[in-house]
Amino acid sequence: MTNSSKDKTIRTTETLIEQGLCDPTQKEKLNQIAEQFSIAITPEISTTIHHPGIAKQFIPAVEEAHIAPNELTDPIGDEPHQKIKGVIHRYTDRCLLLPVSVCPVYCRFCFRREKIGSKQPALSPEELQNAYAYIQNHPEIWEVILTGGDPLILKPKSLDEILKNLTAIPHVDVIRIHTRVPVVDPSRINASLLKVLKIKKPVYIVLHANHPEEFTEAAKKACASLIDHGIPMLSQTVLLKDINDNVDTLSQLMRCFVRNRIKPYYLHHPDLAKGTQHFRIPIRKGQALMKALKKKTSGLCHPQYVLDIPGGYGKIPLQHCYIQEKNADLYSIEDLDGQLHRYEE
Ligand SMILES: *Cc1c(COP(=O)(O)O)cnc(C)c1O
Ligand code: SF4
């Protein structure tokens, strides 16, 4: 690694080639890919970029040019539930608010990759006002989830304004932030951001991380400062081929979360985003991994394995079913060794 990667975020194939991270003979193809799907690798991620579990997440690959027939522009069906620009309201008691469409890093498997990127504009002040009005006019909204894009990329002052506006809505009890910042750009978790996050309503942070190598010393510190500040943290992970699709890496990752006081929440089956086939594994393999994880690790280390049904039908659990109904009062229940037991009611 050259020193320059320490100074700033890598954003071009030229830099990747200079640093020996991309094959120069693929330059043209990769440039075409980068036109459509932005590249960003922060200095913090650069420190571990040579690890295969990190490299594949962030370095563009020629495979992205291959669009599989089942892949979709809007893989999880956000559009049918976009009520107004920047607000996705699919479940009754909670909605997403997407104030920004940029991220500190761009994950090559991103499910919203057609909507986010370095050239995408944030919501305008007027659009934000309209979003608050929508939430205000829907008293059933109990929780607002800030996502995007990565909301923690916002300047503390802009985030402060959003949080103040949401806090002012009486029926919004909980604010959740989905982010990758604490691990990929931990220096952003500074005193001014922490101050802004201290509001009268509970703020939960859901950290997206996929590999134990993402937990650098600075990343651990950033998570600790959020939690010490009174913010509970949960995790979300995407199950990714050749990155975390084996029980050792997955259990190490889950233990890493728990050791850092972050409760594993979701393990997402990868979505059908365009050009991401090389990241997907069969659901049955994911189920087997969850079974192995359950057998191997503490209950604190178990996320829920979920699939976002294409078309906008929501997230559903994909776990292996341990119980079978035989007749009205009789069940057959499988233990963790695969043995069946009768259970009579
Ligand atoms: C994932 C998602 C949520 C959050 O779902 P939880 O199960 O509460 O974590 C909310 N709205 C939309 C549109 C989502 O995609
Ligand atoms: S941080 Fe989230 S929104 Fe941003 S590129 Fe990665 S998966 Fe997509």
Side-chain angles (χ1 to χ4, degrees):
M1 191 176 51
T2 62
N3 281 334
S4 65
S5 71
K6 288 222 176 254
D7 311 331
K8 57 177 193 346
T9 295
I10 300 172
R11 296 193 183 273
T12 63
T13 49
E14 283 73 19
T15 317
L16 288 167
I17 290 167
E18 266 169 39
Q19 299 200 5
L21 295 168
C22 278
D23 177 354
T25 65
Q26 297 179 335
K27 185 173 172 179
E28 207 170 307
K29 250 187 162 171
L30 291 173
N31 274 338
Q32 273 169 19
I33 290 164
E35 273 290 301
Q36 204 184 351
F37 304 119
S38 308
I39 298 169
I41 300 171
T42 55
E44 192 63 25
I45 285 297
S46 290
T47 65
T48 56
I49 197 69
H50 291 281
H51 191 288
I54 304 291
K56 192 178 172 185
Q57 291 190 59
F58 303 108
I59 299 174
V62 290
E63 285 90 335
E64 290 174 49
H66 171 73
I67 312 297
N70 59 342
E71 290 178 341
L72 304 161
T73 305
D74 178 23
I76 71 167
D78 280 338
E79 260 150 48
H81 300 288
Q82 166 139 332
K83 298 301 156 95
I84 182 170
K85 197 165 176 209
V87 177
I88 300 170
H89 192 187
R90 175 204 286 157
Y91 304 110
T92 311
D93 78 335
R94 56 210 189 276
C95 71
L96 306 183
L97 172 59
L98 294 71
V100 284
S101 301
V102 292
C103 299
V105 285
Y106 290 109
C107 313
R108 306 319 300 172
F109 49 83
C110 176
F111 66 117
R112 236 174 240 139
R113 64 193 322 221
E114 312 248 351
K115 290 284 166 61
I116 62 147
S118 54
K119 290 175 198 150
Q120 300 289 335
L123 285 192
S124 70
E126 196 193 343
E127 287 163 344
L128 268 174
Q129 289 305 325
N130 293 338
Y132 305 140
Y134 176 87
I135 297 166
Q136 175 88 53
N137 291 332
H138 287 77
E140 71 277 19
I141 298 176
W142 172 80
E143 178 186 21
V144 176
I145 302 164
L146 296 178
T147 182
D150 198 319
L152 292 190
I153 208 170
L154 284 165
K155 289 196 183 74
K157 192 168 162 279
S158 315
L159 186 63
D160 189 42
E161 209 172 295
I162 294 172
L163 292 175
K164 286 208 168 109
N165 275 284
L166 294 176
T167 313
I169 303 173
H171 56 263
V172 174
D173 274 357
V174 171
I175 295 165
R176 192 197 315 180
I177 300 175
H178 283 182
T179 182
R180 225 167 176 345
V181 162
V183 290
V184 302
D185 202 358
S187 63
R188 285 182 186 270
I189 311 296
N190 56 23
S192 45
L193 184 77
L194 288 172
K195 195 171 158 211
V196 159
L197 290 171
K198 195 95 185 169
I199 55 172
K200 289 202 181 74
K201 292 187 176 174
V203 174
Y204 280 69
I205 288 187
V206 180
L207 174 72
H208 169 193
N210 305 316
H211 195 279
E213 286 288 318
E214 289 172 48
F215 281 82
T216 60
E217 286 309 311
K220 289 183 208 170
K221 260 195 190 154
C223 294
S225 58
L226 287 164
I227 298 165
D228 289 344
H229 201 63
I231 299 170
M233 283 181 78
L234 306 168
S235 74
Q236 54 179 338
T237 294
V238 186
L239 184 56
L240 297 163
K241 189 177 184 177
D242 303 328
I243 292 171
N244 56 24
D245 64 336
N246 63 80
V247 70
D248 284 337
T249 308
L250 207 56
S251 58
Q252 275 175 38
L253 174 65
M254 296 305 147
R255 283 181 170 175
C256 208
F257 285 134
V258 173
R259 206 184 294 120
N260 288 287
R261 295 180 283 164
I262 301 165
K263 173 68 187 91
Y265 179 49
Y266 276 155
L267 176 67
H268 296 274
H269 190 75
D271 296 306
L272 298 170
K274 284 193 178 165
T276 64
Q277 191 175 41
H278 55 299
F279 288 106
R280 288 196 294 276
I281 63 166
I283 287 177
R284 94 183 84 78
K285 185 170 178 194
Q287 290 175 317
L289 275 168
M290 283 301 296
K291 263 175 103 168
L293 189 71
K294 188 163 172 59
K295 195 169 165 180
K296 191 181 156 107
T297 61
S298 154
L300 287 179
C301 299
H302 304 166
Q304 191 169 40
Y305 179 36
V306 291
L307 172 75
D308 232 304
I309 308 171
Y313 302 98
K315 291 180 189 65
I316 47 112
L318 285 182
Q319 82 234 30
H320 167 80
C321 187
Y322 292 89
I323 181 163
Q324 227 190 333
E325 194 173 345
K326 289 294 182 193
N327 58 47
D329 305 315
L330 185 66
Y331 297 89
S332 170
I333 302 180
E334 186 186 330
D335 67 24
L336 294 180
D337 296 315
Q339 273 194 328
L340 300 179
H341 305 269
R342 270 172 66 94
Y343 181 85
E344 230 171 321
E345 259 172 354

